[in-house]
């Protein structure tokens, strides 16, 4: 991205980094010479990432909804590579169903893996982000912005992540820590599993997209995240960037 030693030496923590968009971000960071702790509940996929990318990666298995996972991941980053300057909160689980068919367990799942996990990782990483002048990228969704049917708990969790990110951006700007949000659209394993249950909605997303296609995690989303992590975006904080082919145009 910048080609500077400063950028190459950076240490990152990426949740949900074993698959999909998270995996694309991990690959892009390692290609830039960064060192990355990959956090995911999928132990097999996590081990495969380390086998593929090598010594610049470490894998921490666990559920991001458990606060202990954040503490373990940040400690592993410090121990293996040094204080993290980058935190990317990608992991998210949710169940789709019409609002009247969703219950407390659905909200616990979406908020636990989305809002609470993001909050826990930000708190755990904060002392090190303070030291390094770090950058945080959190993940939200056009589903939250537009109110997509069947996504009540997911949309609520994702909009909560955006609110949390804006407060952190305000409170931490003076400390040199930036916090931004990306809302992607990309064909990943998670999306394909959803598409099997909701084929019409899957087709509808392409039909309504100005660019007429699903995004690619490596080519269309990871570069936007790397921009937000790099010094190229040093005057940006509290922003939501849509990496979605123009599907939602913020004003
Ligand atoms: N792909 C899209 O089009 C799209 C659209 C809008 C928002 N998003 C958001 O972008 C992010 C990435 O999406 P994706 O499509 O790559 O997801 P994905 O489902 O393909 O991958 C998510 C990764 O997170 C991990 N994960 C899920 N729950 C976890 C938990 N509780 N603890 C630890 N790891 C967990 C999974 O094992 C997986 O490796 C998510 O926050 C998602 O909500 C994606």
């Amino acid at each position: 991205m910048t080609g500077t030693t400063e950028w190459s030496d950076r240490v990152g923590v990426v949740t949900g980094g074993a698959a999909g968009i998270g995996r694309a971000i991990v690959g892009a960071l390692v290609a830039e010479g960064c060192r990355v702790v990959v956090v995911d509940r999928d132990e097999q996929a996590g081990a495969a990432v380390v086998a593929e990318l090598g010594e610049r990666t470490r894998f921490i298995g666990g559920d991001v909804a458990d606060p202990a996972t954040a503490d373990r991941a940040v400690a592993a980053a410090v121990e293996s590579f040094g204080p993290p300057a980058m935190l990317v909160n990608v992991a998210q689980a949710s169940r789709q169903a019409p609002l009247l068919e969703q219950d407390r367990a659905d909200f616990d799942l979406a908020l636990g893996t989305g809002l609470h996990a993001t909050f826990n990782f930000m708190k755990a990483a904060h002392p090190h982000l303070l030291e390094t002048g770090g950058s945080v990228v959190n993940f939200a969704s056009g589903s939250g912005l537009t109110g997509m049917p069947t996504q009540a708990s997911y949309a609520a969790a994702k909009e909560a992540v955006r609110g949390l990110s804006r407060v952190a951006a305000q409170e931490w700007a003076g400390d040199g820590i930036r916090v931004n949000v990306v809302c992607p659209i990309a064909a990943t394993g998670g999306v394909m599993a959803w598409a099997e249950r909701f084929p019409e909605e899957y087709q509808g997303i392409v039909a309504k997209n100005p660019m007429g296609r699903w995004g690619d995690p490596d080519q269309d989303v990871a570069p936007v995240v790397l921009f937000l992590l790099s010094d190229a975006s040093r005057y940006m904080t509290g922003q939501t960037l849509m990496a979605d082919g123009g599907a939602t145009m913020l004003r």
Side-chain angles (χ1 to χ4, degrees), residues 81-95:
F81 301 136
M86 306 178 288
L87 170 64
V88 189
N89 285 299
V90 184
Q92 172 76 60
S94 64
R95 189 181 79 91

Side-chain angles (χ1 to χ4, degrees), residues 8 44 47-48 62 81 93 101 113 119 161 169 177 190 221 223 226 236-237:
S8 306
Q44 211 178 339
F81 301 136
E101 293 169 24
T113 58
F119 177 58
V161 165
I177 302 170
V221 181
L226 262 65
M236 295 177 68
T237 196

